[in-house]
Amino acid sequence: MIFDIVAKTTPAPLELELEYGEIIETMAHIDKEKYRRGCCHNSQHDLLLRIHQEPGKRQLGWLSQTSALYCEFFFNLLREVAPVTSQIKSPLGYKNIALTASKYIHANYTEDLNIDMVAQALNVTPRHLNRLFRDLFGAPFARTVNNIRMEYAKPYLLTTGESIERIAGRVGLPSGKVLTKLFKEREGISPAQYRALHQNKS
């Protein structure tokens, strides 16, 4: 059997990127010898037999099944010649979803965002998305969105003389009262006090 790893050109979920890096690193170590000779265990023999039989059956999904069998065969061989332990501790897919949602919020924070809209864009349920936000950011979706909006409001407070009401509208909040409430909850002071405090320092 001759194997080669083809460099990827398309982005992939974080855990696949990490796994790909580990495979490349392992292959680099064993590639120095170019060829390895080993025994064919019964389990490998059975896999090779299934790989040979699958295309002949032409059953539904035979292409995907054959690819999966080749993949299993490859990793069995790789584990035999390079018995290293992976450093990936757990699946990271949930983090990818939450981080992608966060990017979506940053790109659309001036719009009327709601969890149903973002969940639909990412093809997950609102409940699942909310749970991911709590796990990763320590706050539910709605609070995370408002926290992001408040952070975008701060530069307006410090670099412009615009009213609190107008700044609230710029960052997607319904009113200056809501912005003031958020500031008091997170900063302990109002937007006006925040502006005065930081402008005096500069």
Side-chain angles (χ1 to χ4, degrees), residues 136-179:
L136 192 59
F137 302 118
F141 175 87
R143 188 182 303 168
T144 303
V145 172
N146 283 336
N147 289 343
I148 288 171
R149 285 170 166 158
M150 197 182 79
E151 290 305 314
Y152 277 107
K154 287 179 178 179
Y156 286 113
L157 289 168
L158 301 183
T159 60
T160 75
E162 292 181 348
S163 68
I164 306 303
E165 195 72 27
R166 181 164 176 76
I167 292 173
R170 280 186 177 275
V171 297
L173 292 170
S175 69
K177 287 183 179 179
V178 174
L179 181 58

Side-chain angles (χ1 to χ4, degrees), residues 48-101:
L48 287 171
L49 185 61
R50 290 176 64 194
I51 289 170
H52 176 72
Q53 291 174 340
E54 195 65 39
K57 294 178 182 177
R58 289 290 196 278
Q59 292 179 322
L60 181 67
W62 73 270
L63 280 171
S64 296
Q65 187 65 38
T66 303
S67 296
L69 291 170
Y70 269 118
C71 189
E72 184 178 350
F73 181 72
F74 167 75
F75 279 111
N76 284 348
L77 291 181
L78 196 59
R79 287 171 177 177
E80 187 176 315
V81 299
V84 297
T85 303
S86 171
Q87 297 305 304
I88 304 171
K89 295 186 173 27
S90 62
L92 304 173
Y94 73 98
K95 288 187 178 179
N96 280 330
I97 295 172
L99 291 172
T100 301

Side-chain angles (χ1 to χ4, degrees), residues 10 12 33 42 55 68-69 71-72 83 101 111 115 122 125 128 138 145 148 185:
T10 56
E33 300 178 32
N42 284 336
L69 291 170
C71 189
E72 184 178 350
E111 306 299 324
I115 193 168
L122 298 177
T125 65
H128 181 57
V145 172
I148 288 171
E185 286 176 356

